[in-house]
Amino acid sequence: MTDRELMELAIKARERAYVPYSHFKVGAALLDAKGQVFLGCNIENAAFSPTNCAERTAIFKAVSEGVREFTALAVAADTQEPVTPCGVCRQVMAEFFDPQMPIYLGNLQGEIVKTTLQELLPASFTARALGTGEGHD
Ligand code: THU
């Protein structure tokens, strides 16, 4: 699957966003090691803080289906510059992603910026700090 194909899936996933408060739709497409794709959208809440971002929706869907090995993520929103993940999502990514795994940030104009978690969240806090192994129990 190409980066553009994965981004197209993120743009499609965005259509399912539940955003009555911000009206800001985000989509994510997470590719696993077997070639399966997990889609995610943001899901907002009247109490605001329970809102789940598109990236976390995709990651939690995959993990809850028993998948923890990922090879790429695409995120899309209707932004001038390709959208960048929030800090909470970056921390969740740090739990499961290889720091060098490609992360594609995009917008509806077709721009795609390739980055990594190493760039988005250097010196991240992980299971290593807890001394409890790799955090993959
Ligand atoms: N949001 C995402 O889903 N992903 C991001 O990368 C940035 C922010 C959502 C959360 C909220 O529903 C809306 O965008 C506005 O912050």
Side-chain angles (χ1 to χ4, degrees):
M1 163 144 340
T2 66
D3 55 351
R4 196 156 289 281
E5 284 168 342
L6 195 63
M7 186 58 72
E8 284 304 321
L9 292 175
I11 290 170
K12 269 253 165 287
R14 180 182 166 275
E15 288 167 14
R16 294 204 177 132
Y18 174 74
V19 290
Y21 309 105
S22 74
H23 307 288
F24 185 75
K25 296 181 179 182
V26 186
L30 179 60
L31 184 65
D32 79 4
K34 290 183 178 163
Q36 278 189 107
V37 177
F38 293 87
L39 302 179
C41 62
N42 50 334
I43 303 169
E44 298 188 340
N45 189 280
F48 291 9
S49 67
T51 290
N52 210 58
C53 291
E55 299 91 319
R56 274 178 287 143
T57 301
I59 294 167
F60 293 156
K61 280 175 67 180
V63 174
S64 68
E65 294 296 326
V67 174
R68 297 179 188 172
E69 300 296 329
F70 304 111
T71 57
L73 172 74
V75 189
D78 189 8
T79 44
Q80 229 168 2
E81 305 290 323
V83 67
T84 75
C86 82
V88 172
C89 287
R90 293 177 197 208
Q91 182 62 33
V92 171
M93 291 174 198
E95 191 71 26
F96 297 105
F97 291 3
D98 182 298
Q100 307 300 339
M101 187 192 89
I103 297 175
Y104 301 106
L105 310 177
N107 59 19
L108 301 190
Q109 287 92 270
E111 286 176 86
I112 298 180
V113 168
K114 182 180 178 181
T115 185
T116 62
L117 195 59
Q118 180 61 47
E119 285 176 354
L120 293 173
L121 191 65
S124 63
F125 182 83
T126 66
R128 245 171 296 122
L130 298 175
T132 55
E134 295 299 310
H136 286 295
D137 291 343

